[in-house]
Amino acid sequence: MAGSDFFSTCHLQSMEYMMLLKSKHFCYFLTIAVAGFTSSVVFSAEKYTEDPGKQGNGNHVIGPDYKIAADLTDQGNPKGKHFEFEMPLADSKIFPGTDKTLDPKKPVRKTRKIFVYVPAEYKDGTKAPILVTHDGPSRMDLVCNALDNLTISKDPARRLPAFIVIGVQNGGNDGKGSERGLEYDTMSDRYARFINDEVLPAVLNNKEIKAAYPHIAFTDNPWGRATMGCSSGGAAALTMGWFRPDLFRRLITYSGTFVDQQDDDAPEEAEFPLGAWEYHSSMKLIENSDKKPLRIFTHVAENDLRANDPEETYHNWVMANKRTAAALKAKGYDYRYVFSKGTRHCDRKVFEQTLADTLIWMWQGYHAE
């Protein structure tokens, strides 16, 4: 769905607009404006549309044999620039590492590393699209190879925009009561705000990056902002877009943790008692919510975590991802779901075979401002 469709209420006449003041839809816009994100809304409403088509949509089965895609290997093409710096958790206003839900037995990092790759095709001064990856550096080596090879592809159907990759390290440990779990598994806009309000400005203001690219800039167009993760990082990717489609709209999740992994004492439990399990079951969040302007890739492995667990555990990754894909299909989303035979949780060979095609599909229809 184009951003202009989603935000079409911005074009209402003044009388109709006043009637909208009392609606929940207007409250959503008001929240965005108060938070200072009006530029994204205005941009989407007035300037940008795209037509990605339906190619590659739907359910796909791969395996059990795998090989790395040529586009994900080093083919000797011009390389971009790598950067790395750290962000102390104590300096964060959103995730300072002191949340009351944290388990004191699960260590929290003092600093988190930020990994940045600016592709060779990026032109300093242009407003770059971005891809934020979780558990940085994660599969950044494969993403960088894809950029080196596919930003200069002679085939328009297999050409990537010169997006800048930002790999963000998690805050530490795993599961309920951990900083990583707090960041990734919480059903709120908190992590999206952390990336938008703290990480992106830190990248743009980094001295080393600024020395190489004095006029570096990121697009405000939410269709130019993608996010990717595996496991709880995959849940974070979906949640970022779900709660803040004004900020991120292209979502990539591998082995997504769409299970009950949210902290039991999290305030969000009142509204989402089963955490990310609520996307597809119980309250059926995807099916029962208005369709959002999102493009979503999901994946699960045949032998993913707790694949034989009964439903009442709320922790069967295969069941969770199949249901999520079914809910996306039923709601009419542009989605792509991959089931990989003979593989396990966040299996690298799945990335090696699919990530180039995943990125191509994800960025279909995108065009520069």
Side-chain angles (χ1 to χ4, degrees):
M1 181 190 297
S4 57
D5 294 333
F6 182 71
F7 293 110
S8 59
T9 50
C10 291
H11 300 294
L12 292 172
Q13 298 299 317
S14 58
M15 183 175 297
E16 294 173 311
Y17 189 74
M18 291 302 294
M19 293 174 64
L20 195 60
L21 290 174
K22 297 181 180 180
S23 72
K24 292 182 179 179
H25 207 60
F26 177 78
C27 291
Y28 174 74
F29 289 120
L30 182 60
T31 300
I32 293 171
V34 170
F37 299 118
T38 311
S39 61
S40 295
V41 178
V42 173
F43 184 96
S44 298
E46 297 180 357
K47 296 184 180 179
Y48 184 87
T49 59
E50 64 176 40
D51 181 14
K54 300 296 182 182
Q55 184 176 359
N57 286 15
N59 300 343
H60 304 266
V61 178
I62 62 171
D65 299 318
Y66 297 87
K67 63 180 181 180
I68 188 168
D71 290 327
L72 299 176
T73 63
D74 185 347
Q75 297 182 4
N77 290 317
K79 304 291 188 293
K81 295 184 183 295
H82 290 269
F83 302 91
E84 181 180 329
F85 63 94
E86 295 185 351
M87 295 180 65
L89 269 70
D91 291 348
S92 173
K93 295 181 179 179
I94 300 175
F95 289 115
T98 58
D99 197 278
K100 64 181 181 180
T101 65
L102 296 176
D103 183 344
K105 296 179 181 179
K106 294 190 172 185
V108 177
R109 299 186 199 275
K110 298 296 183 183
T111 64
R112 72 172 81 238
K113 294 181 179 179
I114 308 297
F115 306 86
V116 179
Y117 185 68
V118 182
E121 286 296 295
Y122 172 69
K123 307 302 180 187
D124 188 34
T126 60
K127 293 184 177 181
I130 60 173
L131 170 65
V132 177
T133 66
H134 309 313
D135 290 316
S138 189
R139 307 303 184 190
M140 204 160 181
D141 59 329
L142 299 177
V143 177
C144 293
N145 283 340
L147 281 168
D148 295 343
N149 297 328
L150 295 174
T151 53
I152 59 173
S153 172
K154 291 181 171 58
D155 181 358
R158 290 194 65 78
R159 187 178 301 146
L160 288 175
F163 58 80
I164 292 174
V165 192
I166 303 161
V168 182
Q169 192 176 47
N170 66 66
N173 217 277
D174 191 24
K176 294 186 178 185
S178 70
E179 179 66 29
R180 180 178 183 267
L182 174 67
E183 294 168 5
Y184 291 175
D185 295 311
T186 303
M187 294 288 284
S188 77
D189 74 340
R190 190 173 176 182
Y191 194 72
R193 288 188 291 108
F194 169 67
I195 296 297
N196 187 72
D197 298 0
E198 297 188 0
V199 175
L200 299 187
V203 173
L204 293 176
N205 293 314
N206 179 266
K207 291 182 179 179
E208 186 181 359
I209 296 175
K210 289 285 284 185
Y213 303 95
H215 306 292
I216 189 171
F218 297 150
T219 181
D220 289 327
N221 179 1
W223 284 114
R225 292 173 165 216
T227 180
M228 179 177 88
C230 198
S231 192
S232 287
L238 178 57
T239 296
M240 285 173 68
W242 185 262
F243 287 94
R244 294 308 299 265
D246 59 306
L247 298 179
F248 298 91
R249 294 189 179 175
R250 300 184 189 271
L251 318 176
I252 300 174
T253 81
Y254 280 87
S255 291
T257 301
F258 307 133
V259 302
D260 182 16
Q261 200 86 332
Q262 182 172 261
D263 285 339
D264 295 329
D265 55 351
E268 291 78 10
E269 286 282 281
E271 188 172 0
F272 308 105
L274 297 179
W277 189 267
E278 306 289 17
Y279 279 125
H280 55 84
S281 192
S282 183
M283 68 172 56
K284 297 185 177 181
L285 189 58
I286 292 173
E287 293 182 49
N288 292 331
S289 300
D290 291 341
K291 186 181 172 186
K292 300 174 185 287
L294 301 171
R295 188 168 177 83
I296 304 170
F297 170 91
T298 63
H299 153 269
V300 76
E302 181 178 14
N303 303 310
D304 222 304
L305 298 180
R306 299 174 65 166
N308 297 316
D309 271 23
E311 180 179 4
E312 56 267 25
T313 65
Y314 311 123
H315 265 84
N316 184 319
W317 265 251
V318 177
M319 180 185 296
N321 279 274
K322 285 184 176 179
R323 287 180 170 182
T324 298
L328 293 172
K329 179 180 180 180
K331 200 67 180 181
Y333 277 93
D334 280 328
Y335 84 101
R336 179 177 173 88
Y337 167 62
V338 170
F339 179 84
S340 57
K341 292 183 177 180
T343 53
R344 299 186 178 278
H345 188 67
C346 292
D347 204 319
R348 182 177 173 87
K349 60 189 176 184
V350 175
F351 283 89
E352 290 180 339
Q353 177 158 313
T354 66
L355 189 54
D357 289 341
T358 299
L359 292 170
I360 289 293
W361 178 83
M362 182 53 62
W363 288 98
Q364 273 175 210
Y366 179 75
H367 53 88
E369 306 168 23

